[in-house]
Amino acid sequence: LYVAEIRSVQARGPYAIVGACFGATVAYEMARQLLAAGEEMGFLGLLDPTPRGGKTASKNPESTPRIFKRLAAFRTLVVDRLQLYREDMRRLGVIDRVRYLASKFHLLSGLIGNSNAFKGAQRELNQIEVYRANLLALDVYRRQPLNGRLRAFEVFETTRPDRVKAWDRIDWPALWKGPIKRHEMPGRDSGDMLNAENVRVLGASLAQRLRLAFQAYQQQNSVKRENAQSC
């Protein structure tokens, strides 16, 4: 679907595609399909790509009724929220813990019957459902090698020491025989990489890499224009 949307705007390559986290897997597969169709990729950038993928899902997600997906999302929401509250309370004294709990009960009573709060909770449940669906999609997806004209393949990962690096978990050279550049960017994860000051560093690096990747195309077009004018 994404490839079709892009080609409806730009029918022919070279293309530049960038994706982050789960989107990096989507970007990789889009590039693979475009290359397989005979198109040229000027730039493929993967931002903190998840190393997850290639496992067999335990069950077909389409076979699970929506009500069970919703209940699973609600359970995740409640468990995560309670864990967050527990971590907050762990840093407080006894009196502050009482005040903290009182503030949460007061907040809860204000949310009951509040339609805006209900919409917010529903949006959060939707996001959890999408996240779980993405994990299932990754488990059944198997990366296939890239073949074709790919000028620049670059992986941007965060500098967080304890983060599982896709570079260490994915055999990139087995997927692409050409050169692959690796960059380290500030941030804890892909979301943090795209935040505040971190995104300025990433943006500057991406802009430079894109300029270099497409420099040859610009020179080729310049030569073609000069030849056309001389004719």
Side-chain angles (χ1 to χ4, degrees):
L1 287 173
Y2 289 170
V3 167
E5 287 293 327
I6 285 178
R7 299 191 80 175
S8 71
V9 177
Q10 181 181 324
R12 302 302 304 271
Y15 296 100
I17 299 180
V18 179
C21 194
F22 172 79
T25 302
V26 177
Y28 179 92
E29 177 59 21
M30 290 171 67
R32 189 197 67 78
Q33 291 186 20
L34 286 165
L35 290 170
E39 295 296 343
E40 186 168 1
M41 287 296 305
F43 185 86
L44 173 60
L46 308 183
L47 310 183
D48 204 29
T50 173
R52 184 165 177 155
K55 298 178 181 179
T56 303
S58 59
K59 56 185 177 181
N60 181 0
E62 296 300 326
S63 66
T64 305
R66 178 68 190 276
I67 184 64
F68 293 117
K69 293 180 181 179
R70 204 63 170 176
L71 288 171
F74 181 74
R75 177 183 177 278
T76 300
L77 176 62
V78 171
V79 170
D80 288 351
R81 196 57 52 86
L82 289 175
Q83 187 173 355
L84 177 65
Y85 293 164
R86 186 180 64 182
E87 291 297 323
D88 286 344
M89 290 181 62
R90 189 175 293 174
R91 295 189 290 266
L92 301 175
V94 176
I95 296 177
D96 287 331
R97 287 183 182 182
V98 173
R99 290 172 179 167
Y100 182 86
L101 287 173
S103 69
K104 294 303 175 186
F105 280 122
H106 178 73
L107 178 64
L108 180 62
S109 63
L111 292 177
I112 296 174
N114 187 327
S115 60
N116 290 329
F118 175 75
K119 290 177 182 178
Q122 192 165 18
R123 182 168 58 250
E124 199 165 347
L125 287 172
N126 291 340
Q127 290 171 345
I128 292 172
E129 276 194 67
V130 170
Y131 173 74
R132 292 169 65 88
N134 287 348
L135 293 182
L136 288 170
L138 287 170
D139 284 343
V140 297
Y141 175 75
R142 287 173 173 78
R143 295 177 185 86
Q144 299 178 43
L146 302 173
N147 294 293
R149 296 176 295 168
L150 172 58
R151 182 173 293 273
F153 181 12
E154 311 198 8
V155 179
F156 300 75
E157 293 201 276
T158 59
T159 54
R160 177 175 156 184
D162 60 340
R163 182 141 180 95
V164 176
K165 305 288 187 183
W167 191 268
D168 301 324
R169 295 280 299 276
I170 299 174
D171 188 4
W172 296 113
L175 296 169
W176 171 242
K177 299 305 180 184
I180 307 173
K181 290 189 179 294
R182 182 187 184 187
H183 309 274
E184 287 200 342
M185 294 287 118
R188 298 184 302 274
D189 50 35
S190 59
D192 194 36
M193 183 192 287
L194 296 167
N195 248 335
E197 291 299 321
N198 294 341
V199 78
R200 291 189 176 90
V201 178
L202 174 64
S205 179
L206 270 177
Q208 180 189 24
R209 303 311 304 173
L210 283 166
R211 277 194 297 269
L212 290 172
F214 282 84
Q215 198 171 43
Y217 298 113
Q218 293 169 353
Q219 291 172 351
Q220 290 171 7
N221 291 335
S222 178
V223 170
K224 288 179 181 178
R225 283 195 297 269
E226 289 175 3
N227 291 338
Q229 289 171 359
S230 63
C231 292

